Amino acid sequence: MEREEIICIYDEVLTGKRKQFPNEMFIGITGKQYLGYMTRYLIEEKLKIPIHEIPHKIKAETLWSHRLRPGAKAQGWKYFDLINNAYEGQFLPFDFHQVPQGYWQGEKGRHLAIEAMKYVVESKCKLPLDQIPLKVNHQFFKQHNLVGVFCLFEQSPYTAMDAVYPGVFKPWQFANVPMNCWKETKHVDETMDWLLFTQLHYKSYEEALRKIRKTHFFEYKLTGLLQVAFDYRMKNVKKWIVARLEKDNSTN
């Protein structure tokens, strides 16, 4: 059948003039073509939605309420498959507010999640590596329809980005540090050395012992470290520095 005939049948189904679609109309390659005609007709001509607005205005119930479920079911499709059939390669599942059910589940889902984050960071937002800890936060995942991905990685920007770029970042570089980070000696030691020598540019632990102030923890957004690891007490911070100094002296 030609496109005009398919659209005529679809209109008759929508208006109730025809109760259902002809048998086997949506089977095989021809059925995919017919569904493409109908999907584009619905979106562009009936609903008059510009193509670039489709991810924001089309949901599964939009398609199902306009009688496209039987065709999708015949092909074994979910709603995104129906859209992708009509607009092949123009959209990604996470462009939509409603990601297909189960899309992020299992090992395959985890791989898709990593690829999605990499695409958003590098292709969509074009973020340099050094900007990732500053820009990737809770709002970032919400803005780019990656809330499901965010949950997959314990709602931690660091954990999510570490999956995409293993070993490139440290937890404390992000505004939202993972829970229990400051209870691990390794993270405390690395962060303190980063603060003292990379950020404050001290030449030695002796200098750090003389100059470190509580305000430095606030300035570099490390209040969580000060609270959890040092109980908000500078005398505990200085005890840590003395211990590192003694350790250095014992190995020299």
Side-chain angles (χ1 to χ4, degrees):
M1 289 186 283
E2 296 297 322
R3 179 185 182 279
E4 290 73 16
E5 188 175 355
I6 297 300
I7 298 306
C8 182
I9 292 172
Y10 184 38
D11 266 331
E12 289 177 351
V13 171
L14 286 176
T15 58
K17 187 176 180 180
R18 180 190 289 264
K19 288 187 177 180
Q20 60 186 27
F21 294 102
N23 292 335
E24 301 186 354
M25 179 175 172
F26 302 118
I27 302 301
I29 295 175
T30 304
K32 292 180 181 180
Q33 185 179 37
Y34 293 166
L35 282 167
Y37 293 155
M38 291 162 56
T39 304
R40 293 189 73 113
Y41 170 72
L42 170 66
I43 293 173
E44 297 174 27
E45 298 183 40
K46 296 286 285 185
L47 301 179
K48 300 189 184 305
I49 295 175
I51 293 176
H52 70 276
E53 291 185 11
I54 288 174
H56 306 292
K57 294 190 174 180
I58 295 294
K59 298 180 180 179
E61 53 263 34
T62 311
L63 304 180
W64 303 157
S65 66
H66 287 86
R67 305 294 299 275
L68 289 177
R69 189 191 290 271
K73 188 175 181 180
Q75 291 288 343
W77 288 346
K78 296 180 179 178
Y79 91 99
F80 175 76
D81 300 311
L82 198 61
I83 293 171
N84 192 50
N85 175 64
Y87 302 95
E88 187 175 0
Q90 294 189 49
F91 305 109
L92 294 167
F94 49 86
D95 287 331
F96 293 78
H97 292 296
Q98 189 178 15
V99 178
Q101 188 175 4
Y103 188 75
W104 306 122
Q105 293 178 0
E107 193 58 37
K108 181 181 178 182
R110 180 182 172 84
H111 176 73
L112 289 170
I114 291 171
E115 288 300 309
M117 290 188 290
K118 188 178 179 69
Y119 167 79
V120 171
V121 168
E122 296 181 5
S123 301
K124 197 171 181 181
C125 297
K126 302 186 187 306
L127 292 179
L129 277 177
D130 63 343
Q131 288 293 303
I132 289 174
L134 303 175
K135 301 290 187 181
V136 177
N137 50 30
H138 291 74
Q139 186 60 33
F140 177 88
F141 288 90
K142 185 176 180 181
Q143 180 183 349
H144 296 288
N145 300 322
L146 293 173
V147 174
V149 171
F150 198 39
C151 293
L152 191 66
F153 293 97
E154 304 169 359
Q155 296 190 14
S156 164
Y158 163 72
T159 304
M161 290 298 99
D162 189 55
V164 182
Y165 307 100
V168 172
F169 303 109
K170 300 295 184 182
W172 63 85
Q173 292 177 275
F174 292 80
N176 305 105
V177 180
M179 282 200 301
N180 298 323
C181 174
W182 305 129
K183 294 182 179 180
E184 295 185 27
T185 302
K186 173 189 173 183
H187 290 319
V188 172
D189 292 349
E190 287 182 346
T191 310
M192 283 298 295
D193 282 343
W194 173 80
L195 173 64
L196 299 179
F197 303 118
T198 303
Q199 299 303 313
L200 299 176
H201 306 291
Y202 297 146
K203 302 300 182 185
S204 64
Y205 286 115
E206 288 94 336
E207 183 182 3
L209 192 59
R210 295 194 309 270
K211 295 182 178 180
I212 188 69
R213 298 291 182 268
K214 184 178 285 189
T215 53
H216 292 140
F217 290 89
F218 290 92
E219 182 181 351
Y220 292 98
K221 297 180 173 60
L222 293 173
T223 52
L225 168 65
L226 182 62
Q227 179 181 9
V228 177
F230 301 114
D231 197 27
Y232 261 128
R233 297 180 180 180
M234 288 305 294
K235 71 174 185 179
N236 293 334
V237 173
K238 292 183 177 182
K239 281 182 182 179
W240 179 91
I241 296 174
V242 169
R244 296 288 282 192
L245 182 58
E246 291 175 348
K247 183 179 179 181
D248 274 5
N249 290 338
S250 68
T251 57
N252 292 334

